[in-house]
Amino acid sequence: MSFPQNPNPNFTFLSDENFTSPFMDNFDFSNLMFDVDEGGSTGLVQEEASPPTSIVSSETLNGESSGSGSAVTTLNKKESTRSKDGETKEPGHRVAFRTRSKIDVMDDGYKWRKYGKKSVKNNINKRNYYKCSSEGCMVKKRVERDGKDAAYVITTYEGVHNHEIPSHVYYSDTVSSYDRDNWNQHSLLQFIQQISPPS
DNA sequence: CGAGTTTGACCAGCGC
DNA sequence: GCGCTGGTCAAACTCG
């Protein structure tokens, strides 16, 4: 499997700083996004007009169903001390969000290399682990289907790319010719660009 | 043949 | 200390 470099020649690359493009109507973030800073401070960022169910979604994100309420903390705690080769690995910028999509892996424009796949607790679906395949880029991504609602895909980005997007995501000017999921992907790309500070 | 995927094994952290 | 769990490694495999 490889990412399409340009699925549609009649493209327009959108860079909307205000992030208020009309096709956001098609993109379901479930109004949820986690933003974990390097210092360990964790913030729950919610899209505007987020319904009260967003907190429930946060529990789902971590496979926590017991109502422990520590979803965010768990998310942060896990990798703050992970060190394989003696180096002090910083958790880096980390963002997790849930999207409704038929496809598992969103094409966010970067090139990812899969390095692991695991069954996780409270989720019948496998979790997939990806690394950015660009040399020297240590950004990681985890992708899993929501254990309670397989229609949703939970994507977690960890780190910030130290390079430019190798292949931009393009889209046609005509919505009707494009699959809805691809619209979601493009929206995702914009979202990633919004949340990931430029190197 | 090189790049990417699969998958079992291994390792470290955490809770009990 | 032990078992469980999540994350990563790496050899084998697949595909273009």
Side-chain angles (χ1 to χ4, degrees):
Chain A
M1 187 192 299
S2 62
F3 290 101
Q5 292 201 349
N6 189 347
N8 194 325
N10 301 319
F11 69 90
T12 300
F13 182 70
L14 185 67
S15 178
D16 183 2
E17 292 185 352
N18 293 324
F19 199 46
T20 56
S21 35
F23 52 74
M24 281 304 292
D25 292 340
N26 290 334
F27 193 58
D28 185 1
F29 276 120
S30 296
N31 305 297
L32 172 71
M33 152 175 83
F34 287 110
D35 189 351
V36 182
D37 291 335
E38 293 184 18
S41 62
T42 304
L44 176 63
V45 183
Q46 297 180 7
E47 291 290 306
E48 56 184 355
S50 58
T53 55
S54 58
I55 300 302
V56 176
S57 297
S58 70
E59 293 174 358
T60 303
L61 177 65
N62 291 275
E64 301 275 348
S65 58
S66 58
S68 62
S70 61
V72 178
T73 304
T74 302
L75 188 72
N76 178 37
K77 185 165 49 178
K78 274 292 178 185
E79 299 181 17
S80 58
T81 57
R82 289 287 291 185
S83 179
K84 183 72 177 179
D85 47 14
E87 294 181 11
T88 303
K89 287 188 176 181
E90 297 180 3
H93 190 78
R94 189 174 173 192
V95 176
F97 48 87
R98 202 172 72 144
T99 62
R100 186 180 191 132
S101 176
K102 288 180 291 187
I103 58 176
D104 291 332
V105 182
M106 304 276 194
D107 183 1
D108 53 15
Y110 291 97
K111 198 174 181 183
W112 299 96
R113 181 187 183 119
K114 192 174 188 176
Y115 69 90
K117 180 181 176 184
K118 286 237 13 161
S119 295
V120 294
K121 200 179 178 183
N122 296 328
N123 194 340
I124 60 174
N125 301 303
K126 304 274 187 172
R127 175 183 292 173
N128 296 295
Y129 298 88
Y130 298 87
K131 283 180 181 173
C132 182
S133 61
S134 293
E135 195 171 354
C137 184
M138 298 301 293
V139 177
K140 294 171 189 175
K141 172 166 97 168
R142 288 195 292 271
V143 179
E144 63 187 302
R145 289 244 166 231
D146 193 318
K148 292 184 173 55
D149 188 350
Y152 289 90
V153 176
I154 300 169
T155 306
T156 304
Y157 288 89
E158 185 179 326
V160 179
H161 294 279
N162 60 4
H163 58 91
E164 299 198 357
I165 299 174
S167 60
H168 289 164
V169 177
Y170 304 98
Y171 67 94
S172 169
D173 287 331
T174 54
V175 183
S176 58
S177 64
Y178 219 60
D179 185 79
R180 180 185 174 122
D181 284 332
N182 286 328
W183 280 96
N184 286 352
Q185 290 179 20
H186 181 80
S187 300
L188 173 64
L189 172 61
Q190 286 190 54
F191 179 69
I192 294 302
Q193 290 175 332
Q194 291 284 326
I195 63 178
S196 299
S199 55

